[in-house]
Amino acid sequence: MSSKKQAIFISSLIILWYSSNIGVLLLNKFLLSNYGFRFPIFLTMCHMAACAILSYFSIVFLKIVPLQTIKSKSQFVKIATLSVVFCGSVVGGNISLRYLAVSFNQAVGATTPFFTALFAYLATLKREAWVTYAALVPVVAGVVIASGGEPSFHFFGFVMCISATAARAFKSVVQGILLSSEGEKLNSMNLLLYMSPIAILVLLPAALIMEPNVVDVTLSLGREHKFMWLLLLVNSVMAYSANLSNFLVTKHTSALTLQVLGNAKGAVAVVISILLFKNPVTVVGIGGYMVTVMGVVAYGEAKRRFR
């Protein structure tokens, strides 16, 4: 592939990654807060159903990556454990969107490196350089500042968002430990293929028990709003596209590029959400988010230099 074609290809992947991630986030917010579809567990189950179907199609028929098989009962149990943690993080994030503005949700979500470092230390007892830990101070301080300056702060939504962020970090640490042996390692697309059906089995009874009127309300909304089913379909496909594009961008760019793009993606999502939903923001809130992002950048650079 020529350098020009490669640049166009990578640029297209980044655009797909940004549009999928930001699109699914904004659509989640729209459905859960503005559209009357208040069923975050069922919505997550729709996402997992799309991921299961599209992962199978992409791997088996399109052969985006080679199909990796589960080789033992032990490996299956490990994947199931990751799937449950993954469910918790996604459901928690979706629940938080019912109560929090997307901008504040993203500010809290930016603290993922703090929880990753914490769980990694607790799990392995391996210490990073002190500079690396020092860089996490502004990550946490920024969220504290943003919380104080958030006009629409909601305690339960904040707790769910923090819990989802911690669960996401915990999943990445557990994944590194459980699937560390060469015989059990799975790439992210194969892992999604196996986690998604397990997630559906976990989420279906949870939705029926905790969201008992989900079927009636969904059918009613479908009759009332002709674009309801299309929105739900697009939202679910975007959830898979976000995972696929994240895998492809990771594969075709460097770790540093991915980190920079990830930080910028959060900022872009915040700006677009403020323009779309017109949620009130304060100088203190924006300042807090900027402190957190700068802390994340410093943490990534410290890890790279003192690895």
Side-chain angles (χ1 to χ4, degrees):
M1 190 184 291
S2 68
S3 57
K4 186 177 180 180
K5 285 183 178 178
Q6 188 176 20
I8 294 171
F9 175 68
I10 293 174
S11 299
S12 302
L13 286 181
I14 292 169
I15 291 169
L16 176 64
W17 185 41
Y18 267 50
S19 58
S20 298
N21 276 270
I22 296 171
V24 75
L25 179 68
L26 298 178
L27 264 178
N28 283 350
K29 176 64 178 176
F30 178 70
L31 284 167
L32 293 167
S33 294
N34 299 57
Y35 205 76
F37 184 81
R38 303 185 184 280
F39 306 108
I41 299 175
F42 181 75
L43 181 63
T44 306
M45 193 186 76
C46 292
H47 291 178
M48 292 299 102
C51 287
I53 295 167
L54 294 174
S55 290
Y56 183 81
F57 181 79
S58 299
I59 294 173
V60 174
F61 295 104
L62 298 183
K63 302 191 184 301
I64 289 178
V65 292
L67 176 65
Q68 295 172 288
T69 57
I70 297 176
K71 297 177 181 178
S72 66
K73 183 180 178 181
S74 169
Q75 187 184 18
F76 174 78
V77 170
K78 291 174 181 178
I79 292 170
T81 303
L82 288 173
S83 182
V84 172
V85 176
F86 181 56
C87 282
S89 69
V90 178
V91 170
N94 285 339
I95 291 174
S96 73
L97 284 172
R98 278 190 59 186
Y99 304 99
L100 300 178
V102 172
S103 52
F104 186 55
N105 175 280
Q106 289 295 286
V108 176
T111 60
T112 302
F114 167 77
F115 290 104
T116 304
L118 175 64
F119 291 134
Y121 174 72
L122 292 175
T124 63
L125 297 179
K126 290 181 181 177
R127 292 185 180 181
E128 303 271 6
W130 70 268
V131 177
T132 306
Y133 290 122
L136 291 171
V137 174
V139 172
V140 178
V143 170
V144 173
I145 295 168
S147 300
E150 175 57 34
S152 53
F153 181 84
H154 191 285
F155 181 73
F156 178 71
F158 176 72
V159 170
M160 293 309 300
C161 196
I162 280 285
S163 301
T165 304
R168 186 163 58 245
F170 183 66
K171 184 233 170 202
S172 67
V173 172
V174 171
Q175 182 177 329
I177 295 169
L178 293 185
L179 301 178
S180 58
S181 67
E182 286 301 319
E184 292 187 334
K185 274 186 180 176
L186 296 173
N187 62 51
S188 60
M189 296 315 297
N190 274 277
L191 185 59
L192 185 66
L193 171 68
Y194 293 119
M195 284 199 308
S196 300
I198 298 170
I200 294 169
L201 293 176
V202 172
L203 292 168
L204 180 58
L208 293 175
I209 294 168
M210 300 176 72
E211 300 170 343
N213 60 336
V214 61
V215 176
D216 293 337
V217 175
T218 303
L219 291 174
S220 175
L221 283 171
R223 288 190 294 267
E224 188 179 342
H225 304 282
K226 59 182 179 179
F227 294 114
M228 168 69 190
W229 300 110
L230 180 62
L231 282 174
L232 206 54
L233 177 64
V234 170
N235 184 241
S236 300
V237 171
M238 274 188 168
Y240 171 72
S241 178
N243 284 284
L244 174 63
S245 55
N246 184 69
F247 169 77
L248 293 174
V249 170
T250 304
K251 182 180 178 181
H252 292 282
T253 62
S254 66
L256 181 60
T257 303
L258 190 69
Q259 181 192 332
V260 172
L261 290 172
N263 293 330
K265 177 171 62 66
V268 172
V270 167
V271 172
I272 294 175
S273 72
I274 292 171
L275 294 174
L276 281 179
F277 297 109
K278 310 217 181 308
N279 55 282
V281 291
T282 63
V283 174
V284 173
I286 293 171
Y289 179 64
M290 290 176 64
V291 169
T292 294
V293 171
M294 287 189 288
V296 171
V297 172
Y299 172 75
E301 182 64 18
K303 277 205 76 170
R304 189 175 67 85
R305 290 195 179 191
F306 295 96
R307 183 172 296 164

